[in-house]
Amino acid sequence: MSFLDITVIPVPAGNKAAYLEHSRKTTVFFKEAGATSITECWGEDVPEGKATDFRKAVDLKDGEVVCVGWITWPDKAVRDAAWEKLMTDERMMGMEMPFDGKRMIFGGFDVIAEG
């Protein structure tokens, strides 16, 4: 089964175009490294929860939007090799992020069921 890298990111609402451009550029790098697809989502209906929610998870500030994205890899081995290569790729290292990376949540997940 596939392996996913999933992110939850607070992005300033005014940076939507910059976020999309950043995604377009990094998509090229991820696909070169073996990713099968990249998905980016712009929060439109992200309610506040009573105990926890996406907003609290990224310490969302006024004027920011919660974005969720995932990179699909064929398996964890491909993903691990890709990240090792990507973390030394000068093209990636030289990019500015149009969001606060310190508040980004990320993790890798084994896909255990698909419909």
Side-chain angles (χ1 to χ4, degrees), residues 12-77:
N15 283 4
K16 187 174 185 179
Y19 183 75
L20 281 170
E21 183 59 25
H22 183 270
S23 176
R24 285 185 191 102
K25 288 178 182 176
T26 57
T27 291
V28 171
F29 308 149
F30 296 140
K31 287 201 168 186
E32 284 176 2
T36 58
S37 67
I38 290 80
T39 303
E40 298 284 1
C41 305
W42 189 259
E44 291 293 332
D45 184 13
V46 184
E48 290 187 39
K50 292 184 182 188
T52 190
D53 60 36
F54 282 110
R55 295 165 177 270
K56 290 180 184 91
V58 296
D59 190 23
L60 197 71
K61 310 287 186 210
D62 286 341
E64 292 181 331
V65 174
V66 175
C67 294
V68 176
W70 58 91
I71 304 167
T72 304
W73 303 97
D75 55 44
K76 187 175 185 300

